[in-house]
Amino acid sequence: MYKTFDVARSKPDVTLTAAGGSTQPKALMFHAIYRNPGGEEQSFANESKLLESIGYETVRCTTDNSEISGGPWAAVTAVFSPRVLVDAFRIIRSERPDVVYVNNLWPAFSASLLVAARAAGIPTLQAVRNYRLATPSAKLRGDGTCTECGSTNYFSSCVRNGCYGNSRLQSLVCYLSAAAVKLSVSGWKQHRFVATSAMTARLIEGPLIDSDRVVVRPNFGFEENEPAFRSTDSVVCVSRLTPEKGVLDLVRNWPQDEGSPSLTVLGDGPQYAEISSISAARDNVTLAGFTSHEDVIEILRDSAASVVPSQWAEPFGRVAIESMSVGTPVIYATSGALADIVGPGGTPLHSLDESSIREALDRIFGAGDRSAIRRSAYRHYSNRFTSGKAATSMRELINEVRS
């Protein structure tokens, strides 16, 4: 069962006066930590740091999904939890925030959190970093079909086929949970769904989600200084090791002939054992497993390129901007939002067969001046994805939702 959330506080980097003239503005932030932490945890940390940089005190409320036990009551509370409603309303009334920021509700917090904020009259921003509001699997292709069952009928087909957890019951619970979230904010003018890309926004729009309450705001990074543009010979892939991420096929088809660059895979997930077995038989492929965010950035900095081989409608691809922020170009799959996110900061990977991988590598390693590619990657990042630009958009968004 859900355990009451942990609370952490951070003071703002600057002192401001809130509307009304007396107190520092405050953001109350919520995140249910995934069983296998990943990019969304880093996004939550970044958003907190950003709010502090523009003068908000942040109060971060988190709970760990790995501590949830199973059973019928867990299924019920994933849709709507009376305890979360009471706890959330109590802390909202106590903290009196200017805005509530919701990073992930599923499954520990449920729609109860939004109901509490709405009842207290607090404007709310809800991050949308996957497609759970549309389909139980949370995974879509660019044409809107579910990656698991191939259908756009997210209720009958996705539930019938058990697209979440290979279970019809769990898929039904997931679908009902999303429906409860959408119903809880229906008609609420002070709520915004904050999508990371135009594709994400397009794919979640539908019944109970009006397009005028969906805003697009990309992820961002804090690297502000131009990096050294090194010339190295290795490639890195940073990813959760799940089928839709494409890492298994990337490792299986990585070129093995003499002179091919090495590939290091950083990450963990259900396909770890299978990828480990394949990489062990290849001289130029290494599976390094889970790596801290700080070490990931340094490895990206020392790599000739990073590769993002996703085979679904990737909502954003945080590692792509982290790579470009240190001047490392991105070899990106042309699915999802990656083509728009990376643009001149890398080169496309049209499929995961060996010939396509070779072609992409040749465009990186065959360039006469590889430092020019690295400069282009960093320039693209600095033009679109810095924390300074994100701070401006966050101020505008909070003003909009509070008006």
Side-chain angles (χ1 to χ4, degrees), residues 261-293:
S262 63
L263 171 68
T264 299
V265 177
L266 310 178
D268 201 351
Q271 291 187 320
Y272 184 93
E274 189 172 4
I275 292 172
S276 177
S277 176
I278 295 171
S279 62
R282 285 159 168 72
D283 292 336
N284 64 346
V285 178
T286 302
L287 175 59
F290 175 79
T291 306
S292 72
H293 184 254

mmCIF file of all heavy atoms in Angstrom, residues 261-293:
data_model
loop_
_atom_site.group_PDB
_atom_site.id
_atom_site.type_symbol
_atom_site.label_atom_id
_atom_site.label_comp_id
_atom_site.label_asym_id
_atom_site.label_seq_id
_atom_site.Cartn_x
_atom_site.Cartn_y
_atom_site.Cartn_z
ATOM 1 N N PRO A 261 33.914 1.426 -34.487
ATOM 2 C CA PRO A 261 34.041 2.010 -33.146
ATOM 3 C C PRO A 261 33.422 1.116 -32.082
ATOM 4 O O PRO A 261 32.553 0.284 -32.365
ATOM 5 C CB PRO A 261 33.286 3.333 -33.258
ATOM 6 C CG PRO A 261 32.324 3.122 -34.372
ATOM 7 C CD PRO A 261 33.015 2.207 -35.342
ATOM 8 N N SER A 262 33.864 1.304 -30.864
ATOM 9 C CA SER A 262 33.297 0.537 -29.751
ATOM 10 C C SER A 262 31.977 1.167 -29.311
ATOM 11 O O SER A 262 31.742 2.362 -29.491
ATOM 12 C CB SER A 262 34.272 0.511 -28.576
ATOM 13 O OG SER A 262 34.484 1.833 -28.084
ATOM 14 N N LEU A 263 31.133 0.343 -28.709
ATOM 15 C CA LEU A 263 29.845 0.796 -28.177
ATOM 16 C C LEU A 263 29.777 0.422 -26.704
ATOM 17 O O LEU A 263 30.007 -0.728 -26.325
ATOM 18 C CB LEU A 263 28.690 0.128 -28.924
ATOM 19 C CG LEU A 263 27.281 0.359 -28.331
ATOM 20 C CD1 LEU A 263 26.861 1.819 -28.481
ATOM 21 C CD2 LEU A 263 26.262 -0.569 -28.983
ATOM 22 N N THR A 264 29.460 1.399 -25.874
ATOM 23 C CA THR A 264 29.220 1.158 -24.453
ATOM 24 C C THR A 264 27.762 1.452 -24.154
ATOM 25 O O THR A 264 27.257 2.524 -24.507
ATOM 26 C CB THR A 264 30.115 2.049 -23.568
ATOM 27 O OG1 THR A 264 31.484 1.757 -23.842
ATOM 28 C CG2 THR A 264 29.832 1.799 -22.093
ATOM 29 N N VAL A 265 27.077 0.499 -23.523
ATOM 30 C CA VAL A 265 25.668 0.657 -23.165
ATOM 31 C C VAL A 265 25.568 0.902 -21.666
ATOM 32 O O VAL A 265 26.063 0.110 -20.856
ATOM 33 C CB VAL A 265 24.845 -0.587 -23.557
ATOM 34 C CG1 VAL A 265 23.391 -0.440 -23.107
ATOM 35 C CG2 VAL A 265 24.915 -0.817 -25.064
ATOM 36 N N LEU A 266 24.924 1.993 -21.295
ATOM 37 C CA LEU A 266 24.686 2.332 -19.893
ATOM 38 C C LEU A 266 23.197 2.223 -19.615
ATOM 39 O O LEU A 266 22.390 2.879 -20.282
ATOM 40 C CB LEU A 266 25.151 3.760 -19.593
ATOM 41 C CG LEU A 266 26.568 4.151 -20.028
ATOM 42 C CD1 LEU A 266 26.828 5.613 -19.686
ATOM 43 C CD2 LEU A 266 27.593 3.254 -19.364
ATOM 44 N N GLY A 267 22.815 1.396 -18.651
ATOM 45 C CA GLY A 267 21.402 1.283 -18.322
ATOM 46 C C GLY A 267 21.058 -0.080 -17.761
ATOM 47 O O GLY A 267 21.877 -0.997 -17.726
ATOM 48 N N ASP A 268 19.818 -0.183 -17.318
ATOM 49 C CA ASP A 268 19.324 -1.421 -16.729
ATOM 50 C C ASP A 268 17.870 -1.603 -17.156
ATOM 51 O O ASP A 268 17.240 -0.678 -17.682
ATOM 52 C CB ASP A 268 19.429 -1.355 -15.204
ATOM 53 C CG ASP A 268 19.430 -2.730 -14.558
ATOM 54 O OD1 ASP A 268 19.184 -3.725 -15.278
ATOM 55 O OD2 ASP A 268 19.652 -2.805 -13.341
ATOM 56 N N GLY A 269 17.345 -2.788 -16.931
ATOM 57 C CA GLY A 269 15.965 -3.045 -17.293
ATOM 58 C C GLY A 269 15.724 -4.504 -17.601
ATOM 59 O O GLY A 269 16.636 -5.350 -17.474
ATOM 60 N N PRO A 270 14.516 -4.851 -18.043
ATOM 61 C CA PRO A 270 14.146 -6.259 -18.250
ATOM 62 C C PRO A 270 15.002 -7.004 -19.266
ATOM 63 O O PRO A 270 15.136 -8.223 -19.181
ATOM 64 C CB PRO A 270 12.693 -6.154 -18.746
ATOM 65 C CG PRO A 270 12.202 -4.839 -18.239
ATOM 66 C CD PRO A 270 13.383 -3.941 -18.235
ATOM 67 N N GLN A 271 15.609 -6.301 -20.211
ATOM 68 C CA GLN A 271 16.409 -6.978 -21.243
ATOM 69 C C GLN A 271 17.897 -7.055 -20.885
ATOM 70 O O GLN A 271 18.711 -7.426 -21.729
ATOM 71 C CB GLN A 271 16.237 -6.258 -22.582
ATOM 72 C CG GLN A 271 14.842 -6.405 -23.192
ATOM 73 C CD GLN A 271 14.774 -5.818 -24.586
ATOM 74 O OE1 GLN A 271 15.350 -4.768 -24.869
ATOM 75 N NE2 GLN A 271 14.054 -6.489 -25.462
ATOM 76 N N TYR A 272 18.226 -6.746 -19.644
ATOM 77 C CA TYR A 272 19.638 -6.693 -19.262
ATOM 78 C C TYR A 272 20.348 -8.024 -19.536
ATOM 79 O O TYR A 272 21.432 -8.051 -20.134
ATOM 80 C CB TYR A 272 19.780 -6.322 -17.787
ATOM 81 C CG TYR A 272 21.215 -6.155 -17.346
ATOM 82 C CD1 TYR A 272 21.824 -4.901 -17.376
ATOM 83 C CD2 TYR A 272 21.971 -7.253 -16.915
ATOM 84 C CE1 TYR A 272 23.153 -4.740 -16.984
ATOM 85 C CE2 TYR A 272 23.295 -7.096 -16.535
ATOM 86 C CZ TYR A 272 23.876 -5.850 -16.572
ATOM 87 O OH TYR A 272 25.187 -5.703 -16.200
ATOM 88 N N ALA A 273 19.761 -9.127 -19.096
ATOM 89 C CA ALA A 273 20.437 -10.423 -19.227
ATOM 90 C C ALA A 273 20.673 -10.780 -20.688
ATOM 91 O O ALA A 273 21.762 -11.250 -21.061
ATOM 92 C CB ALA A 273 19.616 -11.509 -18.538
ATOM 93 N N GLU A 274 19.675 -10.542 -21.530
ATOM 94 C CA GLU A 274 19.819 -10.890 -22.948
ATOM 95 C C GLU A 274 20.867 -10.009 -23.619
ATOM 96 O O GLU A 274 21.705 -10.496 -24.395
ATOM 97 C CB GLU A 274 18.467 -10.739 -23.644
ATOM 98 C CG GLU A 274 18.448 -11.273 -25.059
ATOM 99 C CD GLU A 274 17.059 -11.289 -25.669
ATOM 100 O OE1 GLU A 274 16.102 -10.811 -25.012
ATOM 101 O OE2 GLU A 274 16.932 -11.771 -26.821
ATOM 102 N N ILE A 275 20.853 -8.721 -23.328
ATOM 103 C CA ILE A 275 21.841 -7.811 -23.909
ATOM 104 C C ILE A 275 23.237 -8.139 -23.376
ATOM 105 O O ILE A 275 24.227 -8.087 -24.117
ATOM 106 C CB ILE A 275 21.461 -6.354 -23.606
ATOM 107 C CG1 ILE A 275 20.190 -5.987 -24.377
ATOM 108 C CG2 ILE A 275 22.594 -5.398 -23.969
ATOM 109 C CD1 ILE A 275 19.602 -4.636 -24.023
ATOM 110 N N SER A 276 23.321 -8.518 -22.110
ATOM 111 C CA SER A 276 24.613 -8.894 -21.528
ATOM 112 C C SER A 276 25.203 -10.103 -22.238
ATOM 113 O O SER A 276 26.402 -10.155 -22.532
ATOM 114 C CB SER A 276 24.435 -9.192 -20.042
ATOM 115 O OG SER A 276 25.646 -9.627 -19.463
ATOM 116 N N SER A 277 24.347 -11.082 -22.536
ATOM 117 C CA SER A 277 24.813 -12.299 -23.210
ATOM 118 C C SER A 277 25.355 -11.992 -24.606
ATOM 119 O O SER A 277 26.399 -12.503 -25.008
ATOM 120 C CB SER A 277 23.660 -13.299 -23.308
ATOM 121 O OG SER A 277 24.047 -14.441 -24.024
ATOM 122 N N ILE A 278 24.666 -11.129 -25.343
ATOM 123 C CA ILE A 278 25.106 -10.781 -26.697
ATOM 124 C C ILE A 278 26.381 -9.949 -26.656
ATOM 125 O O ILE A 278 27.338 -10.199 -27.400
ATOM 126 C CB ILE A 278 23.990 -10.034 -27.445
ATOM 127 C CG1 ILE A 278 22.781 -10.956 -27.654
ATOM 128 C CG2 ILE A 278 24.486 -9.508 -28.787
ATOM 129 C CD1 ILE A 278 21.554 -10.256 -28.187
ATOM 130 N N SER A 279 26.416 -8.947 -25.769
ATOM 131 C CA SER A 279 27.587 -8.072 -25.715
ATOM 132 C C SER A 279 28.841 -8.822 -25.279
ATOM 133 O O SER A 279 29.952 -8.491 -25.705
ATOM 134 C CB SER A 279 27.315 -6.888 -24.777
ATOM 135 O OG SER A 279 27.088 -7.331 -23.457
ATOM 136 N N ALA A 280 28.667 -9.842 -24.448
ATOM 137 C CA ALA A 280 29.823 -10.618 -23.990
ATOM 138 C C ALA A 280 30.515 -11.338 -25.134
ATOM 139 O O ALA A 280 31.716 -11.648 -25.059
ATOM 140 C CB ALA A 280 29.386 -11.623 -22.928
ATOM 141 N N ALA A 281 29.792 -11.613 -26.218
ATOM 142 C CA ALA A 281 30.356 -12.316 -27.369
ATOM 143 C C ALA A 281 30.923 -11.364 -28.415
ATOM 144 O O ALA A 281 31.364 -11.807 -29.479
ATOM 145 C CB ALA A 281 29.278 -13.198 -28.002
ATOM 146 N N ARG A 282 30.905 -10.069 -28.136
ATOM 147 C CA ARG A 282 31.393 -9.074 -29.086
ATOM 148 C C ARG A 282 32.547 -8.288 -28.470
ATOM 149 O O ARG A 282 32.427 -7.773 -27.367
ATOM 150 C CB ARG A 282 30.253 -8.137 -29.502
ATOM 151 C CG ARG A 282 29.295 -8.814 -30.475
ATOM 152 C CD ARG A 282 27.939 -8.159 -30.507
ATOM 153 N NE ARG A 282 27.134 -8.624 -31.630
ATOM 154 C CZ ARG A 282 26.588 -9.819 -31.713
ATOM 155 N NH1 ARG A 282 26.770 -10.697 -30.747
ATOM 156 N NH2 ARG A 282 25.866 -10.171 -32.771
ATOM 157 N N ASP A 283 33.621 -8.176 -29.226
ATOM 158 C CA ASP A 283 34.820 -7.524 -28.709
ATOM 159 C C ASP A 283 34.643 -6.026 -28.514
ATOM 160 O O ASP A 283 35.328 -5.423 -27.681
ATOM 161 C CB ASP A 283 36.011 -7.768 -29.646
ATOM 162 C CG ASP A 283 36.450 -9.232 -29.660
ATOM 163 O OD1 ASP A 283 36.174 -9.924 -28.654
ATOM 164 O OD2 ASP A 283 37.035 -9.667 -30.665
ATOM 165 N N ASN A 284 33.772 -5.400 -29.308
ATOM 166 C CA ASN A 284 33.680 -3.944 -29.259
ATOM 167 C C ASN A 284 32.365 -3.438 -28.662
ATOM 168 O O ASN A 284 31.963 -2.300 -28.907
ATOM 169 C CB ASN A 284 33.901 -3.336 -30.649
ATOM 170 C CG ASN A 284 32.814 -3.735 -31.639
ATOM 171 O OD1 ASN A 284 32.038 -4.652 -31.375
ATOM 172 N ND2 ASN A 284 32.767 -3.045 -32.770
ATOM 173 N N VAL A 285 31.688 -4.283 -27.890
ATOM 174 C CA VAL A 285 30.445 -3.881 -27.216
ATOM 175 C C VAL A 285 30.583 -4.180 -25.729
ATOM 176 O O VAL A 285 30.941 -5.297 -25.343
ATOM 177 C CB VAL A 285 29.213 -4.597 -27.790
ATOM 178 C CG1 VAL A 285 27.962 -4.186 -27.020
ATOM 179 C CG2 VAL A 285 29.044 -4.280 -29.274
ATOM 180 N N THR A 286 30.267 -3.188 -24.889
ATOM 181 C CA THR A 286 30.342 -3.341 -23.436
ATOM 182 C C THR A 286 29.028 -2.910 -22.814
ATOM 183 O O THR A 286 28.505 -1.843 -23.146
ATOM 184 C CB THR A 286 31.471 -2.479 -22.845
ATOM 185 O OG1 THR A 286 32.707 -2.862 -23.445
ATOM 186 C CG2 THR A 286 31.558 -2.641 -21.333
ATOM 187 N N LEU A 287 28.498 -3.741 -21.932
ATOM 188 C CA LEU A 287 27.313 -3.369 -21.162
ATOM 189 C C LEU A 287 27.775 -2.986 -19.761
ATOM 190 O O LEU A 287 28.239 -3.819 -18.994
ATOM 191 C CB LEU A 287 26.313 -4.531 -21.100
ATOM 192 C CG LEU A 287 25.078 -4.316 -20.220
ATOM 193 C CD1 LEU A 287 24.273 -3.103 -20.675
ATOM 194 C CD2 LEU A 287 24.202 -5.580 -20.237
ATOM 195 N N ALA A 288 27.647 -1.701 -19.428
ATOM 196 C CA ALA A 288 28.156 -1.200 -18.151
ATOM 197 C C ALA A 288 27.083 -1.107 -17.075
ATOM 198 O O ALA A 288 27.397 -0.836 -15.913
ATOM 199 C CB ALA A 288 28.808 0.169 -18.352
ATOM 200 N N GLY A 289 25.815 -1.329 -17.424
ATOM 201 C CA GLY A 289 24.748 -1.315 -16.433
ATOM 202 C C GLY A 289 24.378 0.087 -15.969
ATOM 203 O O GLY A 289 24.713 1.091 -16.600
ATOM 204 N N PHE A 290 23.681 0.138 -14.842
ATOM 205 C CA PHE A 290 23.233 1.419 -14.310
ATOM 206 C C PHE A 290 24.437 2.288 -13.941
ATOM 207 O O PHE A 290 25.407 1.815 -13.339
ATOM 208 C CB PHE A 290 22.353 1.222 -13.080
ATOM 209 C CG PHE A 290 21.949 2.519 -12.421
ATOM 210 C CD1 PHE A 290 20.919 3.283 -12.944
ATOM 211 C CD2 PHE A 290 22.637 2.979 -11.306
ATOM 212 C CE1 PHE A 290 20.564 4.485 -12.353
ATOM 213 C CE2 PHE A 290 22.291 4.181 -10.705
ATOM 214 C CZ PHE A 290 21.248 4.934 -11.232
ATOM 215 N N THR A 291 24.361 3.558 -14.298
ATOM 216 C CA THR A 291 25.447 4.500 -14.046
ATOM 217 C C THR A 291 24.851 5.796 -13.514
ATOM 218 O O THR A 291 23.791 6.241 -13.972
ATOM 219 C CB THR A 291 26.217 4.780 -15.356
ATOM 220 O OG1 THR A 291 26.636 3.532 -15.924
ATOM 221 C CG2 THR A 291 27.435 5.656 -15.109
ATOM 222 N N SER A 292 25.500 6.408 -12.543
ATOM 223 C CA SER A 292 24.977 7.646 -11.969
ATOM 224 C C SER A 292 24.897 8.734 -13.029
ATOM 225 O O SER A 292 25.650 8.726 -14.019
ATOM 226 C CB SER A 292 25.870 8.107 -10.818
ATOM 227 O OG SER A 292 27.104 8.595 -11.317
ATOM 228 N N HIS A 293 24.014 9.685 -12.796
ATOM 229 C CA HIS A 293 23.830 10.762 -13.771
ATOM 230 C C HIS A 293 25.116 11.555 -13.973
ATOM 231 O O HIS A 293 25.462 11.927 -15.115
ATOM 232 C CB HIS A 293 22.700 11.689 -13.323
ATOM 233 C CG HIS A 293 22.383 12.763 -14.315
ATOM 234 N ND1 HIS A 293 22.746 14.078 -14.137
ATOM 235 C CD2 HIS A 293 21.749 12.709 -15.517
ATOM 236 C CE1 HIS A 293 22.347 14.789 -15.175
ATOM 237 N NE2 HIS A 293 21.740 13.996 -16.021
#
